[in-house]
Amino acid sequence: MGMKALTYIEHGKFALLDKPKPEILDPRDAVVRVTLGSICTSDLHIKHGSVPRAVPGITVGHEMVGVVEEVGSAVTAVKPGDRVTVNVETFCGECFFCRHGFVNNCTDPNGGWALGCRIDGGQAEFVRVPYADQGLNKIPDSVSDEQALLVGDVLATGFWAARISEITPDDTVLIIGAGPTGLCTLMCVLLRKPKRIIVCEKDPARIAFVREHYPEVLVCEPENCKAFTLANSDHGGADVVLEVAGAKDTFRLAWDCARPNAIVTVVALYDEAQTLPLPDMYGKNLTFKTGGVDGCDCAEILSLIEAGKIDTTPLITHRYKLEDIEEAYHLFENKLDGVIKVAITPNDEPCEKQTKYQDLISRVKESYPLRDPAYNGKDTQLYWCEDCKEINLWTYWQGRGNLDAKIMLVGQDWGCPWDESSQNTMIQIALANRGEKYQYLE
């Protein structure tokens, strides 16, 4: 069986190729059917030649969720049919570094960032995940694919960065960069409730995004970042600085805006070598924390999402099919149309909203027998528009009771269609032949 997979050809070139479906190679492997993926800035670093470890010929991509298709004989944590997040890190769970939580430095030959870099990744229809018991986390039933999409990489990175930065309630925290990883870092810093948070960003669309979604956060631009931070901190600079931008001058900006004895956490991956000018910073007694994410907090992050404490879905601004992924890369790489994150669905996979409605229909069918004789017992008809904003459905059910979802008619006053006491419950969503608008309430 074959599949489509975006492949690293050479410096500056990716291509969507036909490849064999991956197979179990080790008893600890799992094969996952990808239901949703994304593009990361690290993928661009591979394309630009900034990741020397990247192997030409591999399938790129390390941000994905999916359904377990097959597991090796030694896998115990997941089973076929489970919805899972996929961790960006590959780690054995047994070596010195793994036992201390430093999974990015797992001593396995494929330890650390391997997926989509040194072994085939997930911008494809299927992906093989080594050490599946460590690299896969079950998605709670109440958490959608889009809600879970960023857990394994950029959200894990933000959570890890906030954790190692030792943030206290008295701190002024400066976050440099409001790209996808910067925004995930911001969400995780907010969980720690520091005294104030400053975000430094130059892109007008991203500045507007922060102000819209996080009005309590202060915002400045790089040109006045140092002066703004000094004016809005208590001890001559930020107590904690998280550098998430990775631009030419942002490393220097990070330590320059820090107060003496501050913590500077460098999350960014740079295209060029950075200089550590020790004479210039002498006497500041800074503590630097750097490196790749130790992505071992995914279960806790999923619990926070399930509890409504983290929501990354506003970051997903654009959606593409896998067959159009090169167009998605063009958009993401050139920061067009206010893009923050792009969601990629395999060519035959329904989008997130469609999946939600399909699940609703399945639940209704299990509880309520089809009654309308016009359908002669046929399945409910579902019509979906290409921009995924409207669903067309007609069905007529007999029965009583309370279903797991609520549907409300929008724009007409014909009473509540959700009535436990009614023998006949009619569910109509944007009728195909009349185009009336309805709203799905979670």
Side-chain angles (χ1 to χ4, degrees), residues 168-241:
T168 74
D170 296 326
D171 285 343
T172 295
V173 178
L174 170 63
I175 300 172
I176 300 178
T181 308
L183 291 170
C184 286
T185 301
L186 171 59
M187 294 180 202
C188 297
V189 169
L190 282 164
L191 293 174
R192 297 182 177 267
K193 303 184 186 323
K195 184 175 182 179
R196 64 178 67 88
I197 301 173
I198 303 169
V199 170
C200 175
E201 174 57 54
K202 66 179 182 180
D203 183 85
R206 291 178 175 178
I207 289 173
F209 184 93
V210 173
R211 286 178 171 157
E212 177 186 353
H213 290 87
Y214 310 101
E216 71 274 32
V217 172
L218 303 175
V219 182
C220 66
E221 298 186 34
E223 292 75 16
N224 68 340
C225 183
K226 184 175 182 181
F228 187 90
T229 303
L230 286 171
N232 289 278
S233 57
D234 301 326
H235 308 292
D239 303 285
V240 175
V241 181

Side-chain angles (χ1 to χ4, degrees), residues 298-319:
C298 293
E300 182 176 356
I301 294 169
L302 283 166
S303 295
L304 290 166
I305 293 172
E306 185 178 26
K309 295 182 178 179
I310 298 178
D311 180 15
T312 58
T313 54
L315 275 60
I316 301 172
T317 55
H318 295 75
R319 294 163 179 81

Side-chain angles (χ1 to χ4, degrees), residues 154 165 200 210 221 236 265 302 329 342 347 377 386 437:
V154 287
S165 296
C200 175
V210 173
E221 298 186 34
T265 300
L302 283 166
Y329 262 89
V342 175
N347 297 333
E386 62 184 10
K437 301 288 185 178

Side-chain angles (χ1 to χ4, degrees), residues 41-166:
T41 305
S42 300
D43 299 323
L44 299 180
H45 288 303
I46 291 176
K47 183 179 179 182
H48 298 158
S50 303
V51 185
R53 298 181 299 167
V55 179
I58 59 100
T59 300
V60 295
H62 53 269
E63 287 186 326
M64 71 216 84
V65 296
V67 176
V68 177
E69 184 93 348
E70 183 182 2
V71 297
S73 59
V75 175
T76 60
V78 296
K79 64 184 183 304
D82 285 343
R83 296 173 56 240
V84 292
T85 60
V86 181
N87 199 312
V88 62
E89 306 285 357
T90 299
F91 55 101
C92 68
E94 299 172 354
C95 69
F96 168 84
F97 293 102
C98 286
R99 284 187 283 108
H100 287 80
F102 308 140
V103 300
N104 181 60
N105 289 299
C106 174
T107 56
D108 185 88
N110 285 322
W113 177 27
L115 284 173
C117 178
R118 291 173 284 138
I119 62 175
D120 285 336
Q123 286 172 12
E125 295 174 83
F126 297 88
V127 60
R128 180 183 69 90
V129 180
Y131 295 112
D133 282 346
Q134 277 71 46
L136 300 178
N137 290 90
K138 292 182 185 178
I139 301 173
D141 290 342
S142 61
V143 175
S144 71
D145 282 2
E146 285 199 358
Q147 287 176 297
L149 176 58
L150 307 185
V151 166
D153 184 26
V154 287
L155 188 50
T157 299
F159 193 86
W160 165 79
R163 173 165 58 80
I164 68 171
S165 296
E166 302 176 34

